[in-house]
Structures are given as structure tokens and as C-alpha cells.
Amino acid sequence: MLTINNLTKSFGKKTVLKGIDFKISEGEIVGLVGANGAGKTTIMKSILGLASYQAGEITIDGKMVSTTSHQALEEVGALIEYPGIYPFLSGYDHLKLFSENNTKEELDEIVADLHMTDYINRKAKSYSLGMKQKLGIALALLNRPRLIILDEPMNGLDPQATRDVRELVLKLSKKGTSFLISSHILGELEKIVDHFIILNKGKIIQAMSVEELNAGHSHYVMLTTTDNEKAKEVLTAAKYELQVDRSVKIKMSENADLANIIQVLYDNKIQINDVRHQENDMEESLLNLLDQKDGGKA
């Protein structure tokens, strides 16, 4: 559905995109993640013909896209940054204004799916930030797009609205709609995406599935003992990998067996008062990956 080859862009002497390559298949949901300034929005604007680029090629369903060639965008819906809304039109007026071939039933289905029925006929000037965001998402869904690009779609949404959007994305992907979504809310992306494209300083440092990123999770054991400082000393001497923490936090691995850890502490007359297990989350896995690719610098 979308193919990007060697996309390169500079602002003056600063190169902000460095040979970007990736594809999105029909019905696939891809998450674009990275720090602020990594190039996420620039990539999305380039796909939509809103930003020029010095080298590379973008095609949507086999058709070229550039700032002067927009034919392929007829099958694309998008929400980039903030939705453009006319304050004195109602939400429903916006949908009718930008809809070229949707039936009333289709418009009503979008409104119902996003739970906008209670306010869709009110003037947009009275909308909260979350209401405006959902209207922007609704506009991106008009005219049955085959590819939808969403830049931080969860901004301003409460938990229920976030769930509404998540369920709608999954519903449409099952019907064959492809998605490219950027978000700093990694926990939400994890629930819907098939693959992650991880950016750092204008380069793709990793393209991986959710399962592959989750495989990088670490497991820790947190111990509270009668003498935590002494426990840290004896466990460090025994070659266990400890993390900086007020309690005794041990990174578990093939060589770290809890029974052996307990035995080491028992031999040194240290009693264990509490044992807890902890998994690092996707955010920590991503930050670790970015740190590794950046030469170990935070």
C-alpha cells in the first residue's frame, strides 16, 4: 500500500531524514516512534506531498507522490498535528463538507463508532480539545481511504475516547485499511500495531514486530532484606547484575537463579523480608534500544 525508498531530506545544511526505507501492506498497522525531532512528522508530511525532499521515492498503491503529484492521495486520509476546524460549523457540517462519496449511513456509522452522537450537531467552537481531536480523526476516515496517516491521534483524549479510537482502527484494519500512526503513548500503540518503525535522529534504527520488541523485556527480582547494603555487596561479589535501586534489584538471566540468590544471602546471615517480581515495559525496552544505537548516551 505504501513504499518508501531512500527518503532523504535536508533543511539547509541539516539532514533531517537519512535514507528512510519501509513498506506498509494492505490492512497493516505500523507505529512510527522516536524522540521529538526524530523525523516522524516530516516523514508523514512527505508522504502527503506537504513537504519536499531531496532524494528518494514515495509510492502509494504503485503511484508516485511528491509536492507536485497528488493523484495517489485520493485514497489517503490523514490527521497531522491539529485538525483544521471551522468554529461556526457543526461537527456534522464538517463531515458533509469534506465528504465526496460517503452515504449518510456511512457518516452516521463513523459518528457512532467514535461516540460523537451527543455533540456532533453542536458548533465546533464549543468543542473540548478531545472533541476536536475526534472530529479530526473522523475527517481522516471520510471517503473510504485505503491508507490512513495519524500523527499523535490520542492527544487530548480521555481513556474512553482512546479506547473508541483504538477499536475503530482495529475494525478498519480487518477490512483492509492500512495505518501509519505516530504516538508517544507506547502502551496504546502496543495494543494495535503489527510493526514498529523506530527512528532516531532521522534514521530508522530498527523495524520490528511487537513480539520482537517485547522479547527485549527484562525480568527483575526486588528483595527487601534485613541489611540491603550488605546484600548488595555480597550479591555483587557473587557476580549478580544489580540495578541502582533503594531495595535489592537483581536482573534475572539464565545465570541468575532465585534459589541460589537466597542461598547466598542465607550464607551471609541476611534474611529476606519480601520478594517481588518486576518486568520492564515497552517504554523501557525502546529507551534501551535508542540508548544502544546512540552509543550508550542518554
Side-chain angles (χ1 to χ4, degrees):
M1 214 28 245
L2 171 69
T3 301
I4 298 180
N5 288 320
N6 193 37
L7 183 63
T8 303
K9 178 175 176 59
S10 299
F11 290 111
K13 295 182 179 179
K14 183 178 181 181
T15 304
V16 294
L17 296 179
K18 305 170 184 177
I20 300 297
D21 291 286
F22 68 88
K23 297 180 180 181
I24 300 179
S25 301
E26 183 176 338
E28 188 176 24
I29 306 171
V30 173
L32 196 59
V33 298
N36 290 338
K40 303 185 297 295
T41 300
T42 304
I43 289 173
M44 291 181 158
K45 286 183 175 180
S46 298
I47 295 169
L48 294 168
L50 299 174
S52 61
Y53 46 91
Q54 281 71 41
E57 181 179 274
I58 300 172
T59 60
I60 296 173
D61 199 21
K63 301 173 185 175
M64 292 279 293
V65 178
S66 69
T67 53
T68 57
S69 180
H70 293 167
Q71 183 181 359
L73 299 178
E74 293 176 357
E75 296 186 302
V76 180
L79 172 62
I80 302 293
E81 296 173 339
Y82 301 100
I85 290 175
Y86 299 101
F88 293 100
L89 292 181
S90 71
Y92 206 83
D93 286 337
H94 281 81
L95 298 182
K96 291 189 292 184
L97 178 64
F98 291 102
S99 172
E100 296 179 1
N101 53 25
N102 290 107
T103 65
K104 182 179 184 303
E105 289 72 22
E106 288 174 327
L107 296 183
D108 291 342
E109 183 178 2
I110 292 172
V111 170
D113 283 339
L114 288 170
H115 291 84
M116 301 172 65
T117 307
D118 290 344
Y119 58 86
I120 195 65
N121 290 308
R122 285 163 41 190
K123 289 184 178 180
K125 67 177 183 177
S126 68
Y127 283 15
S128 67
L129 176 61
M131 291 174 183
K132 291 177 181 178
Q133 190 72 358
K134 285 210 284 188
L135 179 56
I137 294 169
L139 293 171
L141 304 180
L142 294 177
N143 305 312
R144 309 179 197 93
R146 296 178 61 200
L147 171 65
I148 298 176
I149 298 173
L150 301 175
D151 187 15
E152 299 290 350
M154 307 305 182
N155 276 354
L157 300 185
D158 60 30
Q160 180 59 53
T162 298
R163 182 178 180 180
D164 295 340
V165 172
R166 182 173 70 236
E167 290 179 347
L168 183 52
V169 168
L170 291 170
K171 172 184 173 180
L172 292 174
S173 73
K174 290 177 181 177
K175 295 181 178 180
T177 306
S178 305
F179 285 87
L180 178 63
I181 305 174
S182 79
S183 179
H184 64 279
I185 308 174
L186 297 180
E188 282 302 321
L189 277 185
E190 182 182 12
K191 295 173 183 175
I192 58 174
V193 303
D194 300 301
H195 289 87
F196 283 104
I197 303 294
I198 303 170
L199 291 172
N200 190 30
K201 298 179 181 178
K203 293 178 65 177
I204 293 177
I205 60 170
Q206 198 84 38
M208 55 183 13
S209 67
V210 175
E211 292 76 16
E212 288 171 328
L213 186 56
N214 282 333
H217 287 190
S218 297
H219 177 70
Y220 300 93
V221 167
M222 314 276 286
L223 303 178
T224 304
T225 71
T226 53
D227 190 338
N228 283 353
E229 293 308 311
K230 184 178 179 181
K232 291 176 184 179
E233 290 177 11
V234 299
L235 290 171
T236 300
K239 307 299 183 183
Y240 289 104
E241 184 179 346
L242 270 64
Q243 306 297 304
V244 177
D245 200 271
R246 300 173 84 180
S247 61
V248 183
K249 184 176 180 180
I250 309 155
K251 185 176 181 179
M252 303 304 288
S253 65
E254 292 180 1
N255 300 321
D257 182 77
L258 184 56
N260 292 335
I261 292 170
I262 294 171
Q263 187 64 51
V264 170
L265 296 177
Y266 177 80
D267 291 343
N268 286 273
K269 298 181 172 55
I270 301 172
Q271 296 181 11
I272 298 174
N273 297 328
D274 184 51
V275 178
R276 289 181 292 120
H277 293 266
Q278 182 187 74
E279 302 284 343
N280 73 341
D281 56 16
M282 177 168 286
E283 182 175 349
E284 186 174 348
S285 295
L286 178 60
L287 290 174
N288 288 340
L289 181 61
L290 289 172
D291 190 38
Q292 292 167 13
K293 297 294 183 178
D294 204 24
K297 297 179 181 180

